């Protein structure tokens, strides 16, 4: 890295991210509809709980996307082109990425993640599995505009699996796709995993599992605020609540206060009425055509769509237009 460029070191980055967390929490809880950004679910405990969610019988997206990727791997690799420069948003839990890396043999692989720890772990294990692969991890919050330092000369492809795009509102997803389109350039491509609209009962079960793992995942956000910001949330006084909102086309997750209560975060005190909620996540679902339209407005043509036999999940192959 050139000495002239002012890039923050790991310590500065960690401090900036901690300050961002605090600001986002205080700002979110000050709103009339209290809300917290879902990107903060994934501390070490939250990442473990999310991995447990992915193994749940009710939670179909992960295993369905893995199956689609396995089934159509050679087609997907042909679509993206062997030897491309691959940028992934998020580090994922590995299986899909490993399949793709083995089939694609990218010139360079650049995982982008907000968590330096998650990135370091991924780089270590991927480095062992793919000793010849050049890996350039990028610690960054991809929900904001970011610059990718060095792509090389190969064709640019963005991989965005896991239906993470569902966490964004359609307007935010549009902006995000446009940013990705600018990054990959005129010959670029994108592979995006998108959860499909379906029977609301199936969706409901996926976010209200019988073992309560999703509830624990949701409540861990309050535990994290206690741990990192010294707050005094009593987790027994909040309950996980998730439902499908058919008009908006999204699952909403909330934490509902079971009593009138006050919570302190440092010098700030927040009041909760019995029944009042903190909105913690949206998970938008798109039909194939809806997502095609969204991509088209951002300068992409959905050239390929791979789905499973039960049409639970879609993997879109987008080409720059
Ligand atoms: C990682 C955003 C795709 O929305 O299904 C799982 C997160 N939340 N269970 C999703 C999640 C509750 C997940 N995404």
């Amino acid at each position: 890295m050139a000495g002239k460029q002012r890039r923050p070191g790991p310590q500065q980055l960690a401090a900036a991210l901690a300050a961002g967390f605090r600001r986002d929490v205080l700002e979110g809880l000050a709103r009339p509809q209290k809300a917290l950004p879902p990107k903060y679910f994934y501390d070490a405990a939250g990442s473990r709980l999310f991995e447990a969610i992915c193994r749940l019988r009710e939670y179909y997206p992960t295993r369905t996307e893995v199956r689609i990727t396995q089934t159509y791997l050679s087609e997907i690799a042909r679509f993206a082109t062997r030897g491309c420069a691959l940028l992934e948003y998020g580090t994922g839990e590995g299986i899909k990425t490993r399949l793709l890396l083995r089939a694609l043999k990218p010139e360079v692989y650049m995982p982008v993640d907000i968590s330096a720890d998650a990135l370091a772990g991924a780089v270590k294990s991927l480095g062992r599995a793919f000793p010849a692969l050049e890996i350039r991890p990028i610690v960054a919050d991809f929900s904001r505009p970011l610059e990718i330092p060095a792509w090389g000369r190969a064709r640019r492809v963005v991989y965005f699996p896991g239906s993470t795009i569902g966490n964004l509102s359609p307007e935010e997803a549009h902006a995000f796709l446009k940013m990705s389109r600018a990054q990959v350039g005129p010959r670029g491509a994108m592979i995006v995993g998108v959860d499909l609209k379906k029977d609301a009962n199936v969706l409901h079960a996926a976010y209200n599992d019988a073992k309560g793992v999703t509830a624990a995942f949701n409540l861990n956000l309050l535990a994290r605020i206690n741990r990192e910001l010294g707050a005094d949330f009593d987790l027994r006084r909040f309950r996980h609540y998730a439902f499908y909102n058919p008009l908006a086309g999204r699952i909403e997750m909330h934490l509902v206060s079971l009593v009138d209560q006050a919570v302190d975060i440092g010098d700030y005190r927040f009041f909760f009425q019995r029944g009042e909620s903190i909105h913690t996540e949206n998970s938008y679902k798109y039909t194939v055509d809806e997502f095609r339209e969204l991509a088209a407005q951002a300068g992409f043509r959905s050239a390929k769509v791979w789905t499973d036999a039960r049409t639970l999940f879609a993997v879109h192959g987008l080409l720059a237009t």
Side-chain angles (χ1 to χ4, degrees):
M1 193 52 45
K4 267 182 260 168
Q5 261 177 321
R6 274 191 292 124
R7 284 171 65 78
Q11 239 114 58
Q12 283 168 290
L13 217 48
L17 291 172
F21 180 43
R22 187 184 156 78
R23 175 177 34 74
D24 288 348
V25 167
L26 294 177
E27 193 265 313
L29 293 180
R31 295 188 202 175
Q33 166 63 70
K34 294 178 172 69
L36 294 168
K39 67 184 175 192
Y40 294 120
F41 279 134
Y42 305 93
D43 67 346
S47 297
R48 270 197 302 278
L49 285 165
F50 181 64
E51 279 168 30
I53 288 175
C54 292
R55 292 191 294 268
L56 291 170
R57 187 182 50 75
E58 296 99 325
Y59 193 74
Y60 61 85
T62 311
R63 83 174 62 84
T64 307
E65 188 179 22
V66 168
R67 203 170 306 135
I68 294 167
T69 309
Q70 281 168 334
T71 306
Y72 298 102
L73 187 58
S74 55
E75 255 189 65
I76 295 170
R78 218 177 311 133
F79 173 84
T81 325
R82 268 177 145 236
C84 64
L86 188 69
L87 181 103
E88 177 169 353
Y89 289 118
T91 49
E93 35 58 84
I95 303 171
K96 289 164 282 188
T97 303
R98 277 157 198 265
L99 285 168
L100 204 62
L101 288 175
R102 201 168 304 135
L104 267 183
K105 301 209 187 328
E107 182 184 270
V108 54
Y109 170 63
M110 296 180 284
V112 182
D113 204 284
I114 189 173
S115 159
D117 290 345
L119 265 180
V123 168
K124 205 169 149 198
S125 68
L126 285 176
R128 233 180 267 134
F130 301 91
L133 179 68
E134 177 166 355
I135 307 174
R136 283 189 216 143
I138 301 171
V139 180
D141 177 356
F142 59 74
S143 67
R144 305 195 180 166
L146 82 165
E147 256 177 69
I148 305 305
W151 280 88
R153 291 160 310 283
R155 181 179 192 216
R156 298 171 176 189
V157 179
V158 166
Y159 185 43
F160 196 31
S163 201
T164 310
I165 199 162
N167 275 166
L168 308 177
S169 70
E171 296 72 33
E172 289 166 338
H174 168 82
F176 181 79
L177 289 169
K178 263 187 99 162
M179 174 185 82
S180 301
R181 171 63 185 77
Q183 273 162 2
V184 297
R187 292 187 308 124
M190 192 165 177
I191 299 167
V192 194
V194 184
D195 198 15
L196 290 165
K197 284 210 169 104
K198 59 182 63 67
D199 179 356
N201 294 295
V202 174
L203 289 169
H204 189 270
Y207 294 84
N208 291 278
D209 65 278
K211 286 186 188 151
V213 183
T214 308
F217 172 74
N218 199 3
L219 282 160
N220 177 61
L221 194 46
L222 301 185
R224 180 179 184 181
I225 295 170
N226 286 347
R227 285 191 291 270
E228 294 182 23
L229 305 180
D232 63 354
F233 277 105
D234 180 349
L235 272 57
R236 292 163 304 189
R237 292 179 165 181
F238 287 88
R239 226 180 111 182
H240 168 71
Y241 178 53
F243 62 93
Y244 184 64
N245 175 339
L247 281 180
R250 69 190 188 206
I251 285 281
E252 290 187 22
M253 291 217 307
H254 295 256
L255 289 163
V256 178
S257 178
L258 297 177
V259 292
D260 290 340
Q261 59 181 317
V263 174
D264 289 336
I265 306 177
D267 293 336
Y268 295 86
R269 175 162 288 184
F270 296 95
F271 295 94
F272 295 80
Q273 286 189 327
R274 182 183 188 199
E276 184 181 356
S277 83
I278 309 171
H279 188 175
T280 52
E281 183 171 46
N282 285 322
S283 187
Y284 282 86
K285 313 300 173 186
Y286 294 94
T287 66
V288 165
D289 284 344
E290 282 170 348
F291 194 76
R292 277 211 170 108
E293 183 56 33
L294 191 69
Q297 285 173 7
F300 281 114
R301 176 169 66 87
S302 174
K304 290 272 183 187
V305 185
W306 298 281
T307 57
D308 56 295
R310 293 165 65 201
T311 55
L312 294 171
F313 198 93
V315 176
H316 285 254
L318 309 180
L319 292 176
T321 52

